[in-house]
Amino acid sequence: MPTPVLPPHDRLALAAISDDPAVRREARALLDEDGFDWPSAFRVAESNRVALFVARLLEEAPFEGAVPDDVREKWADRKTKLEARGERAIEQVRQVGDLLAAVSVRPLLYKGPDFQVRCYRDSGPRTFGDVDIIVRRDEIDATVRAITAAGYFQPPGAPSLDYYRRFHLHAIYLHPNHPNGLPLELHWALDSPYSHLPDIVPLLHQTAETCEEFGPNVLRPSALDALALMVVHLDKHLGLAAALPGREQRLKSVIEAHGLVWVLDVVKWMRHFSDAYAGDVVLPRMQALAAERALVIALRLVHDLDAEVLPDWARELAERLPHGRPMITRIIFPDLSAGDGTTAAGKKRRSFLFGDLPGLGFRPVRLVELFVPSFRVPGVTEPAVRKTLGGTLKRVALGGANLLAIASWKIRGEKGEDLEPASRD
């Protein structure tokens, strides 16, 4: 008997983030299936950052008496901790804003805490793993001085910050007084140096705004720009899933990549803002922010999760994406691209491709993406061939320089030279 594409513990997570009361009630039957896998349900919900939604679903009346006491206690405890974590994150953002105000830097907050305040008021705190801020490149040094003076530090055992400024787009900082708090992810770009996309940080600052919850010293993107940033982030991590042949295969890939909350973010945005922004307003801004392709890809996955939330213009974009099997998806998803569920061999392949190579700081999938053409999105302008070839040469050269820098760091480290701790992208 073939393994289902979406086992019961996956479908429980999907039901928990649905706003359809019927879907939530019907999820009760999942618990009656033989050997319902509670550890897997917890793992899927946690890794996809929807554990709070599952915990609240299990508190609803239809689930009374259906959840073992020890399991219910575990979910209730996690719910309490996640709610408290959301509150702490807001306070942490305000503290960072005050720190940077002293050096005349106003960070731009985006993703997790911003979406929590912007789109999750009706459903409770959004779960996230860090606090992301963006500063201008000429503000990096002042920002680092301010946060390190306040006790933030980069994780030990990594190259210097200069290495990350050259080859990556952000660095991670921790604080000793926040052992259960959130890492601070300091960005100076929205895409890596390997990308051919333009730097959009200046455009974001032109329309940035303040928000009472974060205080006067922190900026956040406009509503349209917040959508652009989220779909670009989603495309980086989940874009290949959109080209899989069926709804369940696409959703399975999203869950396997721990990205359910990112698709939910776009669902929430559509629910809160689509009435305020028509397609002829959204698309020009997405084009200006080099996010049009990412928007189409994100809307395809949103359509799979909750088609009813999409206005007509967004549904038309979602349906623009072909239901083909591009070469890159056949390489990375040999099981799901065939229209089946996941297999042990497929999972093993993706575990290698998406895992960091020890000591090298990058994932093998980046090499696949470099040399295997990505799928085209109809109606979206692709880079000219000359620009694409030039971009490939640039990325190959930068990759070589990156490897040389890592080798140099390793040699200097073995000689016992002092290295400034830094994060990895």
Side-chain angles (χ1 to χ4, degrees):
M1 183 175 179
T3 302
V5 177
L6 293 170
H9 52 264
D10 286 354
R11 286 185 278 152
L12 181 68
L14 292 170
I17 61 176
S18 173
D19 276 355
D20 186 339
V23 171
R24 297 172 71 84
R25 287 193 302 271
E26 291 166 2
R28 167 64 182 81
L30 296 171
L31 276 57
D32 294 332
E33 298 197 18
D34 290 340
F36 182 83
D37 190 346
W38 283 110
S40 291
F42 192 82
R43 185 172 61 253
V44 164
E46 278 284 287
S47 64
N48 282 271
R49 301 176 191 174
V50 296
L52 183 62
F53 291 86
V54 177
R56 289 182 170 176
L57 176 68
L58 297 179
E59 292 177 342
E60 294 181 4
F63 293 84
E64 186 175 353
V67 183
D69 290 343
D70 60 331
V71 172
R72 184 177 295 279
E73 289 175 5
K74 181 178 181 179
W75 284 98
D77 178 67
R78 191 61 184 143
K79 171 176 171 286
T80 299
K81 290 179 178 177
L82 289 173
E83 289 173 339
R85 193 181 200 191
E87 295 173 1
R88 289 199 307 270
I90 302 299
E91 180 59 30
Q92 186 175 353
V93 169
R94 295 178 68 95
Q95 290 174 356
V96 170
D98 293 342
L99 285 175
L100 297 186
V103 292
S104 301
V105 173
R106 297 180 82 192
L108 182 72
L109 175 73
Y110 82 116
K111 291 196 303 184
D114 176 43
F115 263 75
Q116 171 178 303
V117 169
R118 195 186 295 270
C119 297
Y120 285 76
R121 295 182 187 274
D122 58 343
S123 58
R126 175 198 186 276
T127 304
F128 37 83
D130 50 36
V131 171
D132 293 89
I133 61 171
I134 308 169
V135 300
R136 302 174 192 270
R137 287 187 177 273
D138 60 2
E139 297 174 332
I140 296 174
D141 291 334
T143 299
V144 170
R145 284 196 300 270
I147 61 176
T148 54
Y152 281 90
F153 62 92
Q154 292 177 289
S160 69
L161 177 61
D162 285 341
Y163 167 83
Y164 285 94
R165 293 172 74 166
R166 181 179 179 188
F167 295 110
H168 296 278
L169 65 154
H170 65 68
I172 297 173
Y173 287 83
L174 309 175
H175 198 287
N177 293 333
H178 296 292
N180 297 316
L182 297 170
L184 179 67
E185 197 162 284
L186 172 63
H187 288 253
W188 46 85
L190 273 301
D191 220 328
S192 78
Y194 294 88
S195 172
H196 63 270
L197 297 177
D199 180 10
I200 64 171
V201 172
L203 287 177
L204 299 174
H205 277 273
Q206 290 176 6
T207 56
E209 58 193 30
T210 58
C211 172
E212 181 179 354
E213 282 88 344
F214 303 131
N217 298 319
V218 175
L219 298 171
R220 70 171 182 175
S222 69
L224 273 181
D225 291 2
L227 174 64
L229 290 172
M230 186 52 70
V231 300
V232 167
H233 179 77
L234 185 154
D235 183 24
K236 287 180 186 177
H237 294 275
L238 306 176
L240 295 174
L244 288 167
R247 173 182 179 271
E248 290 198 345
Q249 283 76 19
R250 291 190 290 270
L251 288 176
K252 181 61 181 179
S253 175
V254 167
I255 291 171
E256 186 182 72
H258 315 312
L260 201 51
V261 74
W262 300 325
V263 183
L264 180 62
D265 285 335
V266 185
V267 169
K268 292 280 190 180
W269 192 97
M270 287 291 159
R271 185 166 288 119
H272 282 79
F273 295 105
S274 62
D275 288 345
Y277 296 99
D280 58 2
V281 174
V282 174
L283 281 176
R285 188 58 178 174
M286 297 300 113
Q287 292 165 352
L289 296 175
E292 184 182 12
R293 173 191 169 91
L295 177 65
V296 175
I297 287 171
L299 292 177
R300 156 64 73 199
L301 299 176
V302 168
H303 189 275
D304 292 332
L305 194 62
D306 186 354
E308 297 301 317
V309 79
L310 294 178
D312 289 343
W313 65 265
R315 188 175 295 106
E316 291 171 3
L317 287 178
E319 293 172 349
R320 181 192 295 176
L321 203 61
H323 295 266
R325 292 196 302 160
M327 181 186 300
I328 193 167
T329 62
R330 296 199 304 271
I331 291 172
I332 297 173
F333 303 96
D335 41 9
L336 293 171
S337 66
D340 301 322
T342 57
T343 64
K347 290 180 180 179
K348 185 176 181 180
R349 178 179 296 189
R350 288 185 289 278
S351 177
F352 168 73
L353 290 174
F354 290 107
D356 284 334
L357 290 175
L360 296 180
F362 68 88
R363 300 179 294 166
V365 69
R366 296 306 181 200
L367 295 177
V368 177
E369 292 174 328
L370 181 61
F371 293 107
V372 179
S374 183
F375 59 89
R376 295 180 64 87
V377 176
V380 175
T381 302
E382 300 284 346
V385 172
R386 183 182 301 175
K387 187 172 183 180
T388 301
L389 293 175
T392 299
L393 293 175
K394 170 193 168 186
R395 290 191 291 271
V396 170
L398 192 63
N402 193 346
L403 292 175
L404 288 174
I406 292 173
S408 175
W409 160 58
K410 292 289 187 181
I411 293 171
R412 288 185 292 113
E414 290 173 358
K415 292 180 178 179
E417 295 182 18
D418 292 334
L419 298 175
E420 180 184 353
S423 108
R424 60 182 175 83
D425 183 5

